[in-house]
Amino acid sequence: MSMPGEDAGAALDVVIVGAGIIGCLTARELTDAFPGATVAVVDRDQIGSGASRRSAGLHFPRGSSARVREMTALSEHRYRELRSKLPELPIHDVPTTVVAARSNADRLAEHYLPSADLTPVRRLPAGPADTVRLPPGSDAWSVRGGQYADVHGVAQLLAARLRPSVRFFEGARVLAIDSRADGVRLRLSTGETLAARQAVLAPGPWTEDPAWRRWTAPLGLRVKKVVALHIERRPGPDDGVLVFEDEDAFLLPLHHRGHWLFSYTCAQWDVSPEDTHPHLSPVEIAEGRAVLERFAPGLVRHLGTGRVFCDAYSPERAPVVRPVDEHHRVIFAGAANGSGYRLAPAIAAATLAALRASGTPGRAGNGATGSVRTAETTHPVRAAGASDSVRAVEAADSARVAGASDSARAVGASESVRVAGFSESVRAAGASDSVRAVEAADSARAAETPDSVRTAETPDSVRGAEAADSARAAGASDSVRTAETPDSVRAAGAPDSVRAPGAPGSVRAVWP
């Protein structure tokens, strides 16, 4: 350990700010891709102690946009892989039933992945569902692929497995970040200074921290309070989750804690995590009680305490992963819109893609080259069993991928922000025949194509040019520009149908 005021050892490859579920999975993604990379994770508190600690940890195969559905499919695939490698992770499969108005059946089919296998059911499952009543004109569907986690426990276990190859700085707030052409320097509250080639901001709801506010302010992010009430009734071993689609609410059995959790949409916007106390107010309890009474009046008497915190939301209601500084040394990864756990693996994969596009994070000895490497492996391309419909087309060493020109082009589409690592043509889980993965002719497959590559797409759809032998990493030349969302692009604060200015239609506040 260095003395206060000194640099904390040699320069690192990457520093990740934020040790929640997104930060920990990003560290794992990075060290898996570059085993020799030097990585540090810094958190103002303890590992998994912010929004991750208060998360309900529910995952189900749903997304209100094509982009979020792609990310959901990838996350579902990655969680299966992670659980096979670490079966001790506190992640539990849970039967899932969705309740929605009969008139919304078509929208339901659109928003849920094919892997969900939506199936109408005549009656709700046993358990507390016997106290739940279907509103007039509503139906229920069973859904495959539901699971929930002790997110704090998952983050803790991931961190334990990453040590000692990854260094963790807990209880160390970042006071300042200086980005330069040759790297970044982070000054910590402990008196230490960290130097690194690149940095990742995974701050959860702390988007307005003074250390990085100058970079996050143009993203148009807003922070909303998230509330869940605890129902003091022990769930049975076979009880499952009930999702009230039209209400943006759900009733989840927390078997490992011995009670139920009821999450509803809280419409308190523009709050600060510094000022959001972790205790419930009478107003929040009354709001939750009113929603629960419409569906399960018999459970109201079991309402006890609960949990409250906040999360960051983007104007497009899709996570943001993109370089934010002038030198493309700092990558923002977050604004998960209340779905941090559900989308964390996809956000981590997108962050790795953005790091690669901005400058290869691993050292030369780790097999990294100066050329840009494709962001995704064949597994995410074929996520959720889509291999039969995903076709690979072989490319010569000099072939151009996806029509990219010799210099990377930034496509700034504020209404359809693309997340790094997800191409427009890749549709996981039931991808059409037009989905193609690029394979290099002689030695490279889709995940590693040093000579003719496709870089990750940043949240503003930054497409990287394919690289010939002399190609530059995306983000390293003057021709690579990332379009920034202007300060004026901010979502309106409507409770249930939040609109992003200039975007058609209404966007749900909670279900991304």
Side-chain angles (χ1 to χ4, degrees), residues 5-17:
E6 295 183 353
D7 285 356
L12 300 156
D13 287 316
V14 180
V15 172
I16 299 169
V17 180

Side-chain angles (χ1 to χ4, degrees), residues 40-277:
V41 180
V42 181
D43 198 284
R44 67 179 63 212
D45 202 337
Q46 303 299 295
I47 293 166
S49 61
S52 294
R53 188 177 189 89
R54 296 165 179 87
S55 171
L58 177 61
H59 172 98
F60 52 102
R62 182 200 184 280
S64 59
S65 68
R67 183 65 53 192
V68 175
R69 287 191 289 275
E70 289 173 7
M71 299 186 75
T72 301
L74 176 55
S75 291
E76 191 173 54
H77 176 77
R78 291 290 177 89
Y79 274 130
R80 281 198 299 267
E81 288 187 331
L82 193 61
R83 293 174 71 183
S84 68
K85 295 175 182 176
L86 299 173
E88 65 272 33
L89 283 170
I91 300 176
H92 317 281
D93 294 325
V94 61
T96 304
T97 303
V98 177
V99 175
R102 197 171 299 122
S103 59
N104 289 334
D106 290 343
R107 190 185 70 178
L108 204 69
E110 177 189 352
H111 287 182
Y112 281 79
L113 273 58
S115 63
D117 190 23
L118 277 170
T119 304
V121 294
R122 292 183 176 274
R123 54 185 299 177
L124 294 175
D130 57 11
T131 69
V132 174
R133 60 190 182 194
L134 287 176
S138 295
D139 284 332
W141 293 260
S142 66
V143 172
R144 294 182 182 272
Q147 50 112 318
Y148 79 96
D150 172 4
V151 183
H152 173 255
V154 172
Q156 291 279 345
L157 195 145
L158 289 172
R161 295 294 183 271
L162 288 168
R163 286 181 165 117
S165 59
V166 172
R167 185 175 179 186
F168 285 86
F169 291 80
E170 297 179 81
R173 181 173 180 172
V174 175
L175 300 180
I177 305 179
D178 181 24
S179 169
R180 305 173 183 176
D182 60 349
V184 296
R185 293 173 69 85
L186 296 87
R187 183 163 58 88
L188 307 184
S189 60
T190 59
E192 296 170 291
T193 299
L194 301 181
R197 298 174 64 191
Q198 294 171 289
V200 174
L201 296 179
W206 281 274
T207 58
E208 292 293 308
D209 190 281
W212 50 77
R213 183 167 50 206
R214 66 192 184 279
W215 293 324
T216 56
L219 299 177
L221 309 179
R222 300 178 70 191
V223 177
K224 189 180 80 67
K225 186 173 284 190
V226 179
V227 179
L229 304 179
H230 295 171
I231 297 174
E232 297 300 329
R233 174 170 167 175
R234 181 173 294 278
D238 300 321
D239 286 346
V241 59
L242 286 170
V243 177
F244 304 106
E245 182 78 12
D246 302 329
E247 297 288 337
D248 290 347
F250 58 83
L251 188 59
L252 173 68
L254 296 180
H255 296 281
H256 69 293
R257 289 174 56 98
H259 66 84
W260 287 81
L261 178 145
F262 179 66
S263 175
Y264 74 96
T265 300
C266 176
Q268 296 182 46
W269 285 91
D270 301 320
V271 300
S272 167
E274 302 288 357
D275 302 326
T276 302
H277 301 290

Side-chain angles (χ1 to χ4, degrees), residues 457-472:
E457 294 178 356
T458 70
D460 284 305
S461 307
V462 178
R463 293 187 182 179
E466 44 67 41
D469 291 338
S470 61
R472 294 179 181 176

Side-chain angles (χ1 to χ4, degrees), residues 379-391 427-432 435:
H379 294 296
V381 172
R382 300 184 180 190
S387 58
D388 290 342
S389 58
V390 178
R391 296 185 297 169
R427 291 289 184 267
S432 67
V435 178

